[in-house]
Amino acid sequence: MNPGAAWHGGGSAGPRRFEAAGKPGRAFWIGAMGLGAALLVGLGVLSMVLPKQVMNAVMPVFMIVFLGGYLVFFVFGLRGKKVLLDVHGDRVVLDEGRGGEFPFSGAALSLWHMASVGVDMGTVLHLSGGGRRLLIGGRDHRPGAGLTMSAPPVDSVDVFLPADAFDALLACVSSATVAPRAASGPWRCALLPSTISPRNLLATMAPWLGSVVLTGVVSMALAALGGLDSGLGRMIALPLLGVILVAGLVLTVTRSMRKGPALEIEVDPRELRLRDPGTGRVLAAAPPSAIATARGVYRVYSRGAVFDYATLALRIPGHEDVILYVQDTRFGWGDAVQRGSAPAYVVGPPDWITLVEMFGARPFLVVRGS
């Protein structure tokens, strides 16, 4: 899997076909909501026309049949569909013309952002034609230093390709369309605060938890002073307590949306540097050969499901272990590894692949469903 190479342009030598994966469209979600509404309406109609004894007998059968069909609908719908991308000269033909034609003129590149986590999950080619736009994602693709990201990041795409096929598609685009730039400078990787670390989760939830505690303290104080004994006192207390809770909720949501990097890794041929992204100060530095690594797995239990995330600990001399992970269960280790400590940092799939290759762990990496 190619984490992203500098692109050299050159244009297309002839027609070429790519098989992309499409995500569920608007029709799927409309259908899902329609089926849910049909369930509620169906239950209401049955309860009105059937006697209670019959309803009690029919209800289990109705629920099993409906929920079974609903599950099948979701499983097949979320798998997405295969979409054909045919490159003909200076344009992409989508799904043999049924989806339209999109010329390369005006094409641009951007990062594919995972909004819920704050990391990048690939690169996106922006095309437009006939008043419509087409966003083609390169999953796990890391843009080389020679590619210019001229479009703003997006968090969803219309179709996506694996990284190597996306590189091949970029090679079909004229160099006059997506202008390359000279590669320069060290390789950098932003480490964002982990979304599964108990410590980070507690820090994010602190305003809400604090507002709940403060509400309890204020309520007890008002009760002790007799402020809740009268109607007027309760009319004043309830809005006050509501404001405290709303303020805690707003602060919690605001903090969860601020996804700035906590650390930054910078690598050149001579050394790896760990920087504070806020001040630019170097916290630790060492040649890559002097940095030991430890592979592991961290298990998360959520709503009755179990998720195993591959982790990588970087032991940089002069600094505590930097434990990071990729929030994508497609990635794992092919051999037996120990369960590790909760990772403090998260990276996107392109950076994860690059780091794994950089420290010689690529032979152990397993990518499921690719």
Side-chain angles (χ1 to χ4, degrees), residues 210-220 240-242 244-245:
S211 68
V212 172
V213 172
L214 182 58
T215 300
V217 171
V218 172
S219 298
M220 289 188 292
L240 174 62
L241 298 176
I244 294 174
L245 289 174

Side-chain angles (χ1 to χ4, degrees), residues 309-346:
Y309 294 106
T311 65
L312 184 68
L314 306 181
R315 292 169 178 165
I316 306 172
H319 195 275
E320 63 181 2
D321 287 0
V322 177
I323 306 176
L324 51 91
Y325 81 109
V326 57
Q327 191 160 321
D328 190 329
T329 54
R330 291 181 300 129
F331 295 93
W333 302 117
D335 57 342
V337 294
Q338 293 184 343
R339 291 190 190 178
S341 303
Y345 309 100
V346 60

Side-chain angles (χ1 to χ4, degrees), residues 41-51 55:
V41 173
L43 289 175
V45 171
L46 288 176
S47 64
M48 289 188 294
V49 300
L50 295 179
M55 185 65 183

Side-chain angles (χ1 to χ4, degrees), residues 108-122:
L109 292 173
S110 76
L111 294 174
W112 184 0
H113 201 56
M114 189 186 297
S116 60
V117 182
V119 299
D120 296 322
M121 58 188 299

Side-chain angles (χ1 to χ4, degrees), residues 3 119-120 140 142 187-190 347-356:
V119 299
D120 296 322
D140 305 335
R142 180 180 175 88
W187 179 81
R188 291 183 174 87
C189 173
V347 297
D351 288 332
W352 173 259
I353 294 171
T354 302
L355 286 167
V356 166

